[in-house]
Amino acid sequence: MPKKSVCDSGFALVLVLSLVSLLMAAVYTISLISKVDAEIGATDAYRLQARQNALLGLGLAIAELQRAAGDSAAVTAPATLRLTNSTTLAYPSLTGVWSAGSFSENPDNWFVSGNFEELGPNQITPAVLPPESSAITLIGNGTVSATRDMARALRVPIADTNGGYAFWVGDEGAKAALAILPADSPLAPNGAPLVIDPRRDIPSFAHNSPVRAQPFLWNDLRRLVGSTNMKARFRSYTTKAQWVEGSALVGGRFNINTSNPISWEAVLRAYENARDPSQPELSAAKAQALAERLAANIGPKQWANAKPQFGPFFSLAAFWDSELVQESLEDAGITTLTQGDLHSILWPMLAVRSDTFRIRAYGDARNPADFANPTAPPQAAAYCEVIVQRTPHPDPLGNGLRFEIVYFRWLGAADI
């Protein structure tokens, strides 16, 4: 019987070692795949939890808005109403709500997370923008161009979890709505449509422009006008805001409790487009000057020797009975037009509250191992945005008329 050669034995050894190496590689690959699958599963779990926490924050924001602003007698206003010169505000993007029967200069609360939890209302006010290191940015460089237009909210930890939420509520009715056609606008007493007209600022959206039928969302405006241009106008314009009127929703109104001159100018131009030929004109230059004076004069008195100011207004009667419009006309050097002229045309398009609001909410999920480290970054974060509309339908819990979500989207970090 022939003997095995040394070469045969060496070949067998090499073959065995090769098979062992392949087996070890296969085992390593399987363990690596299992590890990756586990990490993917953990990441998906964190993302799901972050989204759930964002939806929790959103639900709490809507519930607080329903409780405070569901009543038809409640008044809403952006924070720009609070100071004579809106450029001195640190946080103009806040929204305040005055409950029915309130006649205070200050709202019951500012609608941002951190003001509705254990510490109570008004922890965050227009006077100070919370630093980015201790707050969540919900209106940032993806939405606005200036730091002073940003919105931040306090992150609220969720009990028994490592997650948290934040939310911010914006007043859309105190902006000039651009996606309202003449046929959908309120009518002046003479039957002419009262159409918000931003032609000096955005010529393509003049009162009779067909392009007004195109935008439905803010992103549509950014696409039509240019994202850079619209970033600077986020606090001035919106697409479409509606108000409850009887059993219907109507558009084309404007919440007078704002000191935004760009919004006011677009509203004032409705007078020129709707007036009778026999009534005094309001040229583009005069409309701009009057808007600037209205914006400067509206709001409460801020210091001892300051000129007395007007607002917030809790009824349209109080607005027209005040000397705000007439005094602003005089300050603007307009002598050919009176408060009565403006009232005779514009009164059907004005309101003292808003029924449409934009809400942004945030949620995150953190590693349980980071429980003792509050500065540890989250494993996942989620942002969402909704438009909520007050409707003619009663709230089942008795808080006035019901708010409903009419638009929802998840946001990426670049959208903020």
Side-chain angles (χ1 to χ4, degrees):
M1 191 172 179
K3 295 181 179 180
K4 292 182 179 180
S5 66
V6 175
C7 291
D8 290 340
S9 300
F11 176 76
L13 179 61
V14 170
L15 181 60
V16 171
L17 291 175
S18 298
L19 291 173
V20 171
S21 298
L22 288 172
L23 180 60
M24 292 180 64
V27 171
Y28 175 76
T29 301
I30 292 173
S31 65
L32 183 62
I33 291 174
S34 299
K35 181 181 179 182
V36 171
D37 285 343
E39 290 178 349
I40 291 174
T43 300
D44 287 343
Y46 282 129
R47 288 175 178 170
L48 178 60
Q49 183 184 355
R51 285 198 166 193
Q52 289 175 334
N53 291 342
L55 293 176
L56 172 63
L58 171 63
L60 291 172
I62 296 175
E64 293 293 349
L65 186 65
Q66 181 69 66
R67 180 187 60 79
D71 193 311
S72 298
V75 169
T76 69
T80 50
L81 184 73
R82 290 297 296 123
L83 291 179
T84 304
N85 184 352
S86 62
T87 60
T88 63
L89 273 176
Y91 200 170
S93 295
L94 282 178
T95 294
V97 178
W98 288 255
S99 60
S102 172
F103 294 98
S104 170
E105 292 181 351
N106 297 304
D108 299 345
N109 209 349
W110 299 102
F111 268 68
V112 64
S113 58
N115 281 349
F116 295 91
E117 287 73 34
E118 293 181 2
L119 294 178
N122 296 312
Q123 300 300 312
I124 300 177
T125 70
V128 179
L129 177 66
E132 193 171 9
S133 59
S134 62
I136 304 299
T137 299
L138 292 173
I139 303 293
N141 290 327
T143 304
V144 297
S145 56
T147 301
R148 67 177 301 275
D149 290 337
M150 292 182 178
R152 296 192 184 118
L154 293 187
R155 177 186 179 272
V156 180
I158 301 173
D160 300 325
T161 76
N162 291 311
Y165 69 84
F167 65 79
W168 163 88
V169 179
D171 189 328
E172 294 296 288
K175 304 176 182 180
L178 302 186
I180 304 293
L181 294 171
D184 300 321
S185 299
L187 299 179
N190 63 6
L194 291 165
V195 187
I196 291 171
D197 188 349
R199 70 172 64 188
R200 186 185 66 83
D201 191 37
I202 310 178
S204 59
F205 276 84
H207 71 292
N208 56 356
S209 171
V211 77
R212 295 176 70 104
Q214 297 183 31
F216 175 71
L217 305 173
W218 179 252
N219 280 353
D220 297 332
L221 279 178
R222 294 178 62 178
R223 174 178 53 82
L224 291 167
V225 180
S227 60
T228 301
N229 293 334
M230 292 311 295
K231 278 186 176 183
R233 296 165 172 82
F234 181 73
R235 287 195 296 111
S236 303
Y237 298 121
T238 187
T239 51
K240 188 175 183 179
Q242 293 183 299
W243 280 258
V244 175
E245 189 172 281
S247 61
L249 288 173
V250 296
R253 271 57 170 177
F254 177 68
N255 182 355
I256 59 171
N257 281 312
T258 179
S259 59
N260 189 308
I262 297 177
S263 303
W264 267 111
E265 181 181 349
V267 171
L268 289 172
R269 287 194 62 85
Y271 168 87
E272 183 62 22
N273 299 324
R275 70 178 177 90
D276 292 325
S278 60
Q279 292 179 296
E281 69 167 353
L282 181 64
S283 66
K286 290 180 179 179
Q288 180 182 358
L290 178 56
E292 291 173 352
R293 296 318 307 161
L294 279 169
N297 289 339
I298 195 169
K301 183 177 179 180
Q302 291 296 309
W303 52 87
N305 296 321
K307 181 179 180 180
Q309 292 184 283
F310 306 93
F313 292 102
F314 300 98
S315 69
L316 288 177
F319 173 76
W320 291 114
D321 288 343
S322 75
E323 297 178 359
L324 168 64
V325 178
Q326 188 60 45
E327 188 171 299
S328 298
L329 284 165
E330 295 170 2
D331 290 348
I334 300 173
T335 59
T336 58
L337 193 68
T338 67
Q339 175 170 310
D341 294 323
L342 292 172
H343 175 268
S344 68
I345 295 295
L346 295 180
W347 69 263
M349 70 182 306
L350 303 181
V352 294
R353 62 162 295 152
S354 300
D355 286 344
T356 307
F357 297 87
R358 183 187 304 270
I359 302 176
R360 284 191 176 179
Y362 161 92
D364 64 31
R366 304 196 176 198
N367 192 319
D370 296 328
F371 181 78
N373 182 9
T375 62
Q379 297 296 311
Y383 300 85
C384 64
E385 177 183 78
V386 302
I387 301 296
V388 294
Q389 176 65 54
R390 187 166 168 265
T391 69
H393 312 298
D395 174 53
L397 299 180
N399 293 314
L401 299 179
R402 186 171 74 238
F403 279 95
E404 296 179 355
I405 295 174
V406 295
Y407 169 72
F408 175 94
R409 66 168 175 158
W410 290 107
L411 301 175
D415 298 319
I416 299 300

